[in-house]
Amino acid sequence: MNTILWSSEHRQWFDYDLSTNSHSGVVAASNFFPLWAGCWDHERVEMAVESLVQSGLVLEGGVSATVLHSGEQWDYPNAWPPIQEILVEGLQLSAEFLKSTESTESSTKAKSLAEQIAVSCLKSYWNGYQKYGVMFERYDSRTSDGSRGDGGEYSTQTGFGWTNGTALKFLSKYSLPFLSFF
């Protein structure tokens, strides 16, 4: 994975196009899924966390699926709850790993970013539920006001189990930081 997908220049993993023998170059939340899978070493994990911070993906209402403005459901500005959970868990794992290597500053950065993303999502889910009375399958990452995501081949679905599950998972770990906003 690191040999083919890792880009030292961009400090993240990219999809690889076999027909062109090159990285896709698309900045996407999934580029950071190797943090969740633990497919990194000390140097890469520090670079990847910093790259995620600077990627333009982390927004007020969560992490956008990509930075592409295509109008499709898997692109900007949609924040899909399973993507949020994978990234938060990956950042938590990264923080634990970095702490074990005595990289305190980097560990704190990964842990803080995980909390920031989780709390941003919880605010979005809560505000959306208060405003519309339902949970959505995807949210607009540009705001934490609970606006539904948009675009793609169908309209945003309501009452989605993965959003409920992600909310419960985040509440189990981040309820105090979330409640501090009230």
Side-chain angles (χ1 to χ4, degrees):
M1 179 177 287
N2 288 326
T3 302
I4 296 173
L5 303 180
W6 177 256
S7 167
S8 296
E9 178 186 352
H10 297 97
R11 301 168 300 140
Q12 59 188 271
W13 297 266
F14 284 97
D15 288 342
Y16 193 80
D17 186 334
L18 294 173
S19 64
T20 63
N21 289 322
S22 63
H23 290 124
S24 73
V26 175
V27 177
S30 60
N31 294 2
F32 300 93
F33 283 9
L35 294 174
W36 172 82
C39 299
W40 31 256
D41 53 35
H42 184 266
E43 186 178 337
R44 279 189 182 94
V45 73
E46 286 183 316
M47 288 190 288
V49 170
E50 187 59 36
S51 180
L52 179 55
V53 168
Q54 297 174 359
S55 68
L57 293 166
V58 182
L59 302 170
E60 180 186 332
V63 179
S64 180
T66 72
V67 295
L68 297 176
H69 298 247
S70 71
E72 293 298 327
Q73 65 193 35
W74 289 106
D75 285 330
Y76 178 90
N78 291 314
W80 294 82
I83 291 174
Q84 313 305 303
E85 185 173 359
I86 290 168
L87 291 175
V88 167
E89 285 186 19
L91 288 163
Q92 290 169 344
L93 289 169
S94 300
E96 291 168 20
F97 170 76
L98 290 165
K99 186 176 180 182
S100 75
T101 65
E102 300 184 12
S103 293
T104 308
E105 187 178 328
S106 295
S107 173
T108 301
K109 182 178 272 190
K111 186 177 178 180
S112 295
L113 184 56
E115 182 177 301
Q116 174 192 335
I117 292 167
V119 171
S120 293
C121 291
L122 286 170
K123 285 168 54 180
S124 245
Y125 304 164
W126 174 257
N127 289 333
Y129 187 78
Q130 292 299 305
K131 191 187 276 185
Y132 303 105
V134 296
M135 301 289 273
F136 298 117
E137 68 169 342
R138 55 189 150 134
Y139 289 81
D140 185 334
S141 63
R142 297 171 293 188
T143 178
S144 61
D145 72 357
S147 295
R148 71 184 93 212
D150 202 14
E153 61 218 39
Y154 60 89
S155 59
T156 301
Q157 303 296 299
T158 61
F160 239 70
W162 64 33
T163 306
N164 302 338
T166 299
L168 289 173
K169 177 85 175 228
F170 288 170
L171 282 170
S172 73
K173 183 154 180 88
Y174 299 104
S175 59
L176 289 177
F178 169 63
L179 292 174
S180 71
F181 288 98
F182 292 97

